[in-house]
Amino acid sequence: MIAVAVVGAKGRMGSTVVDAVNDAEDTRLSHTIDHGQDIAQITPGNTDVAVEFTVPSASLDNVLALVDQGVNVVVGTTGWDEDRLAKVREVLERPEHRNQCVFVAPNFAISAVLADHFAAQAARYFESAEIIEMHHPDKIYAHSGTALNTAHAIAKARRDAGLGAMPDGTRSDAGSRGQVVEGVHVHAVRLRGLNAHEEILFGNPGEQLVIRSDCFDRGSFMQGVLLAVRQVASGRYTCLLYTSPSPRDR
């Protein structure tokens, strides 16, 4: 049995993780920690993997504290950027933490992970690409971490293929063309009734490819969370920082 602690256990995602851990046959809940409680309760003696689902302002400190305590971590909180990731890499490179693992993924839904993967494969074959991400209006960040990760993957694939800038003759002073991420336009919709959805649009003269991921409830993320927990607990990966849905050795 894999002993799993959940940090942010009373939040919307955290409480869903608690239920998933309790329902899985190969995991058991070791600790639940929420705002105001002492994260130092989580140690290698009682926990194999901690799952961190809190808020962006607290996530980095929580992860660094867990690593300092010798605990492996799976991170689902959004808002991670390269500066934050670099701080975790620096800590993991210290000799005392070289047997530890931190997994940070922009999305744990299998459909979203595959959409991101397929988009990177398709990007080199199309002149144009844009992303529309659609979420409920209570989501803190726009644009979503998933959409930004997809944009970076598309941009890299285009660079690797030697493609130039995408055609765009539109003039707009109102920001209606969305945020531009490495040349890729990303549009955010916040609408009551939605949960988490992403459309990745590719275009060539006379043809279009649309890759779409729809997550209708928080349970859609749990298969990926449990998969990450199992991989981290397996001990196959040490002193690694996973920064995409497809883990690779650093």
Side-chain angles (χ1 to χ4, degrees), residues 55-120:
V55 295
S57 59
S59 186
L60 176 60
D61 288 342
N62 287 337
V63 171
L64 293 178
L66 290 165
V67 171
D68 189 57
Q69 289 156 209
V71 179
N72 297 317
V73 193
V74 169
V75 185
T77 305
T78 60
W80 282 76
D81 57 22
E82 187 54 40
D83 288 342
R84 292 184 173 208
L85 294 172
K87 291 178 181 178
V88 179
R89 287 192 190 99
E90 180 183 354
V91 172
L92 287 175
E93 288 170 356
R94 297 173 186 170
E96 64 269 29
H97 299 305
R98 284 195 175 274
N99 292 322
Q100 291 179 243
C101 178
V102 174
F103 185 111
V104 182
N107 199 310
F108 282 102
I110 301 301
S111 62
V113 171
L114 289 173
D116 185 80
H117 175 73
F118 296 150

Side-chain angles (χ1 to χ4, degrees), residues 6 55 68 91 99 139 157 177-178 186 196 210-211:
V6 179
V55 295
D68 189 57
V91 172
N99 292 322
K139 185 172 180 61
R177 294 289 289 121
V186 183
V210 178
I211 301 172

Side-chain angles (χ1 to χ4, degrees), residues 12 55-56 78 134-142 189-195 218:
R12 290 188 294 264
V55 295
T78 60
M134 299 158 280
H135 287 79
H136 55 85
D138 300 319
K139 185 172 180 61
I140 297 174
Y141 275 89
V189 175
R190 295 293 176 266
L191 189 70
R192 187 64 69 195
L194 295 176
N195 185 44
R218 296 181 189 92

Side-chain angles (χ1 to χ4, degrees), residues 6 9 14 22 43 48 131-132 137 149-150 162 181 210 222 245-246:
V6 179
N22 283 329
T43 70
D48 297 309
I131 299 168
I132 305 171
N149 189 72
T150 303
V181 180
V210 178
M222 294 305 106
S246 300

Side-chain angles (χ1 to χ4, degrees), residues 146-186:
T146 301
L148 296 179
N149 189 72
T150 303
H152 289 305
I154 290 172
K156 182 180 185 304
R158 290 177 61 84
R159 287 195 302 273
D160 291 346
L163 299 180
M166 287 184 276
D168 185 1
T170 303
R171 294 184 179 181
S172 174
D173 297 326
S176 58
R177 294 289 289 121
Q179 180 180 348
V180 182
V181 180
E182 294 194 77
V184 182
H185 287 266
V186 183

